[in-house]
Structure formats: structure tokens, C-alpha cells
Amino acid sequence: MKHIFTISLLLLFGIYLPAQDLQPHNQQFVRILPGEPIDSIIAKAAHVTPSKKQLVWQEIEFACFIHFGVNTFTNREWGTKEDVRHLYDPTQLDARQWAKIISEAGAKEIILVTKHHDGFCHWPTKFTDYSVKNSPWKNGQGDLVADVAAACKEFGLKFGVYLSPWDIHSPLYGSEAYNEFFKNQLRELLTNYGEIAEVWFDGACGQGPNGQKQVYDWNGYYEVIHQLQPDAVIAIMGPDVRWVGTESGYGRETEWSVVPVSAGQLAEIAASSQQKDVGGAFVPIDMMQADLGSREKIINAGALMWYPAEVDVSIRPGWFYHESEDSLVKSPEKLVDIYFSSVGRNAGLLLNLPPDKCGLIHENDVKSLLGMKAILDKTFDKNLVKNARIVASENRDENRRELLLDGDSRTFWTTKPGTKTATLEFTLDNQQEFDVLLLQENITNGQRIEEFSLEVFKDGKWIELTKGTTIGYKRLLRFETTTASKVRLKIISSRDCPELSEFGLFKSSIPVSNLN
Ligand code: FUL
């Protein structure tokens, strides 16, 4: 009896029975006990892992946002309650042009703004007349959501929807009826347009037409998504993907996908992961803090969860198209810098392209985007260590170290159980010139590495070239161009056995000093 009681207590508090050597299990959420020893907390943190859909999302790496709407025609960033549907009349709108360029740029997903804060709907919704069906575009016969969904399918892209909870137009806004209206809109989007990979909820919550603010039924919104598109991640105001904290395009140098959440939020977390009732919006942490997941942060947590970062940024200063910004499109070099500082810092990149009044992505934007792609393709064309001989300080399995160079982020090298530091020496057939380091961790078993450095062997001694903290799904570091035939990666600190899936050295196709 006493045993049963102890076992249920242990299970209740997320302690794992000593089936084998007290190793924590991999899971997306884990509780921390009051007074739990630090080593045990760190071991748990090392085994917090992405859900299946979070993993699929992470591997997308690069997605594009499309902000197009009545604001495109009124030249505004945020609409007003003024009815401007008569202005929505793109003459050459071509969602295929968007998808073609976006897939050529190497992105894997489009997230379309289906309704911004102004309330104008880009599909012929049954629930309001403030939509494309009452605009001049295609004499009210158009459906932008259907066009983009079809174009994504044609070009092999995933499709996501942004639906603004804040609605300046709806007379229902500020009442319980609005939540029903919003859920009905979600149901239309999640039923009629095929597979949806991501639902993006904005945090903005302003006043509606009556000056009222809405109390959002987040729980109800999540339920609709879980029911209709269980594989879709819910981003920003949701449990699967977090906002990186700025709209600058730059993630943190130390970016943990395992973050602390307070004990008070445990019930909500458990419920949301099981797709049950949750209370408020799922925003467990202040996403603007500089440090989210260091040891100091996690040892005081009530629980830990896998909650990866998304970096959203526009190719222009604004999210919507403004002719006055045609000369302010970010350069290819700037976009490359953003890529290195988002995808290369363990985050997903969501780059916004705002189509112009004709309904096309402007030529300046296309030029920059494809310019970025050309630089990245040339840079990452050849892993210069591809045929290197590898000597590891320790291998769990002799053959596995070759997996570091196989281009597959799900195969990995690791150390023997218990070993948390390591060195990996790569010897090349001849001298190579390089200035970019690529590292990937096998996140299917968690994010663990806390500190590493890269050294080159020159004039009979090892010299440090660069160093970093977190790796996660992907880490890219640039440094002064160096020529060498022998390099060494040092894993200085890790929360459990380091599991590295990829190692690469490249030569940037543009000077590394000239990237801003
Ligand atoms: C913000 C919105 O207010 C902006 O207009 C834009 O949609 C951006 C992605 O999110 O919160």
C-alpha cells in the first residue's frame, strides 16, 4: 500500500522510477521538485525534447510571411474602423508569383495574413461581409486564401495562416459573441484549405469599433486547431513556437529551446500538451528577456518545456507595402546576416514579403531575396571537411563519427554514457580556406551543449578561432578567413552526453567583415 502511494506520488511529481540508472525520459514538459538537486534538474533539462510537430517545424528553418490587405491600398501599417473594402483591387495579383519566388529563395513555408487588425478577410467568409466578396477584386469572386494554398501545393511549400484576434471592424468585438465569431473563422480556414502547418496568433489586443477590448478565449481557439489540424503548430500566442522577442531579425547568441516555466503554469501546460482545457493565452515566459534558459534560470523553475524561437522580420521597414520604402528593401548581404543570426542561432526565420498594390512582390524585394539565396548557395555549396579523418576523444560507437559529415541532422555522434566533454579532431588531405562553422545537435534527444570552441593547428600549436555557447538545431559562426588542414572542436560543457549531428566548415562567398 505504502509502495503504491509512493509510486503515485513520484509519478505525480514527474520523478522517474529507477528503471535504469535514473536516466530522465525524453519529453516535452518536465516538472522540477521543490528542493530538487541541481544535477538532477540539469539532467532533466538535457532530456526535454520537441514534440513531433515542433521537430517538423524546426526543420523548415526558413519561412516567408505575406502581409497584404486593405493597408496595402490605404498606405497604412494598422487599419482603422473606416470601411475601405472598395479600395481592395489588386490588378495583377498572382499568388503563383509569390510561391515561385519564395521556393526559389529556399524557404519551405508561406504564412499568409488572412485577416489583419483591420478585420478585412481575404477569403469569402460566411461570418462577416467585410471580406473579398464585397471588394472590387475579381468582382467579389476572389479567394486569396485558396489561391495561396493552391500555389503552395504547386511549389511544394507548407502553408500557414495568420489570423489577427484583434479586430477593429467587427461590431461583436468586446463581447463573448466575438469569440464564437473568431472560432467560426478559424473553422473555415482550417477546414476548407487543405493542410495547415502553422497558425500564427499575434499578441496585439487593442480596442474594437465600440472602444471595447476583447477577453480572448485562447483555450477555445486552441481546441478548434487541435481538433481540425492536430499537426499544425500554434505560434507566438500559443504553446508550440515562441516569439524570439524582437522584430529585428536577430536572435540571441545563447538561444535555448528548453525554457523554464513557473509552477503556477503547470496545470495549463499539462492540459495544453494533452490538448485539453487551458486558462489564458499560452505565454509562459517573458520572451523579451536576454537570458531564457541558462542554468541560473532553470534551477529556479517549476517546470521546463521545449519552446523554440521564431524570428519574424520584414524585408522592408514596414510589414505592409509602401511605395516610399521601395528604396529601403534590405540588401542581400543584410538578409544573409539575418539568416546567420536567426537560422544560425537555433531559431526559425520568418521573413516578411509585402506584395505591392498590383498584387505582386516588387522587383527590388525579389532581387534582394534571390541575391541572398545566391550568396548562401555559394557559401554552403561544399563542406570543406567532407572527406576529413576524424579522431574523437571518445566514441560511443566507432562508426558513428562519420555521421557528423553525412548531411543528415537526425544521425549523430556521441560519447559514452556519463561523458559530457569531448574533442573532435578533423584532418584534411590538404590546406583549406574557411571562415564559417556549422554545428548541429541531435535535438530529437534534447539540447545540451553549453560551451564549445573551434581551434586550428598552426605552427605546431592549437590556436582558438572562435567559440560559442548554445548550438541547438543549428549554429553558424563566422570568423576571420583561415587556412589550415587540421581543426579541433572542443565541447567544453554539456548538460549530458553531447550528441552532435553535423559539423561543417565553409568559405563564405562574401567577405565576412562586410555583412551589415
Ligand atoms: C505585429 C502586428 O501588429 C504587425 O502589424 C505585424 O502583423 C506583426 C507580424 O505583428 O504584432
Side-chain angles (χ1 to χ4, degrees), residues 297-417:
K297 293 280 170 173
I298 63 174
I299 58 178
N300 294 311
L304 302 171
M305 71 175 287
W306 188 271
Y307 200 28
E310 184 171 67
V311 172
D312 62 325
V313 59
S314 187
I315 197 165
R316 291 166 172 246
W319 290 100
F320 285 89
Y321 176 82
H322 309 287
E323 201 180 335
S324 60
E325 294 182 354
D326 281 352
S327 59
L328 300 175
V329 175
K330 292 183 173 69
S331 67
E333 292 77 10
K334 176 75 179 172
L335 294 179
V336 167
D337 200 35
I338 285 175
Y339 177 89
F340 270 89
S341 308
S342 52
V343 176
R345 289 183 182 171
N346 188 31
L349 170 60
L350 178 57
L351 178 66
N352 179 59
L353 304 169
D356 62 15
K357 285 185 186 173
C358 299
L360 297 171
I361 298 174
H362 191 274
E363 57 183 346
N364 294 1
D365 305 44
V366 174
K367 212 169 144 204
S368 272
L369 190 67
L370 299 183
M372 167 191 89
K373 169 74 164 136
I375 295 170
L376 291 176
D377 277 354
K378 216 168 156 204
T379 300
F380 292 105
D381 178 44
K382 195 170 154 217
N383 184 354
L384 299 165
V385 285
K386 182 84 187 132
N387 300 315
R389 258 181 310 113
I390 311 171
V391 177
S393 51
E394 179 178 306
N395 297 295
R396 185 169 304 182
D397 168 351
E398 274 301 314
N399 303 324
R400 294 193 78 84
R401 58 179 188 268
E402 310 307 329
L403 301 174
L404 285 166
L405 306 173
D406 69 351
D408 181 346
S409 65
R410 294 208 189 176
T411 60
F412 62 94
W413 157 91
T414 188
T415 54
K416 293 186 175 134

Side-chain angles (χ1 to χ4, degrees), residues 65 67 77-78 113 116-117 162 166 200 202-204 247 312 319-320:
F65 230 166
H67 276 68
E77 275 293 303
W78 280 6
V113 171
H116 204 248
H117 312 327
Y162 165 117
W166 181 21
W200 215 92
D202 201 303
E247 292 178 345
D312 62 325
W319 290 100
F320 285 89

